[in-house]
Amino acid sequence: MYRYFIQPQFNKFTNSVFGYEMLIRKWQDGRWQLPKDFASIPIEIQTELLKRAAIELSLKVESVSFNLNRTQFVNEHINEALIAAQKQIYPIVLTVEVTEEPDDHVDTEQLRQQIEIYNQHGIEISLDDVATGVNTLEHIKPLLTDVTEIKLAMQNFREEKRDAEIEDQLRIWTQVADQYQLRLILEGVENDAEDQLADRFDISIRQGYYYGKPHLFKLKGDEASIN
């Protein structure tokens, strides 16, 4: 059995939850676990759960976000399933986060064409984990005029022992967001000091343990089906 855990994206300036990132988990050995291979989970299962959760959240948030790597992002079958899901969850907006993992078989033009298709169907595109992996400014610059959002994950810098770069990277990416009129989400905010750092850079939407850990979003009937 699969379910989504949700983590709030908190708008500090309006003191409200803007949206939720959907993080899929598998019920196994009596507990919820990270799936070993996300790509092996049928897209039909993921989108059905996404639709059910989004419909129940429809009076609470504007947006739900969903991660795809570059290979998945240009997959026609996945695209069709997500476009159908967006139609069913409207007026909630589905945001597809394109992760930082490289794929030598997917070029920038393929990404641009797919972004255009998603945009035509009301789906917003986010470039996840900027300044990490292939989502460096040099690589994603050609896409910035077509996407809606960028996400900077402070936890990635901590894991890579690059903590000293965080403030400079915030300066760079807030300028990029202003230049291209993009929504910027700061991810990995864990304490008062990091919350205040986001204040200094005038970043409204934030995500991290400081505002809420991922938690199971129970669907109707879950009490009877989970044991």
Side-chain angles (χ1 to χ4, degrees), residues 3 47-57 89 217 219-222:
R3 284 293 180 271
T47 53
E48 180 59 30
L49 291 174
L50 175 70
K51 288 185 288 188
R52 290 176 63 191
I55 289 168
E56 292 187 34
L57 288 166
I89 68 174
F217 183 77
L219 297 169
K220 293 175 182 176
D222 273 350

Side-chain angles (χ1 to χ4, degrees), residues 88-133:
Q88 290 187 263
I89 68 174
Y90 181 84
I92 281 188
V93 173
L94 174 60
T95 300
V96 173
E97 298 185 15
V98 185
T99 59
E100 77 281 9
E101 296 95 339
D103 183 338
D104 294 336
H105 301 292
V106 179
D107 60 29
T108 300
E109 184 55 31
Q110 287 174 280
L111 292 173
R112 288 185 70 257
Q113 290 176 5
Q114 191 54 54
I115 290 169
E116 183 178 349
I117 292 171
Y118 275 134
N119 286 340
Q120 289 171 355
H121 290 88
I123 295 173
E124 296 185 349
I125 305 302
S126 172
L127 298 176
D128 196 15
D129 296 336
V130 293
T132 306

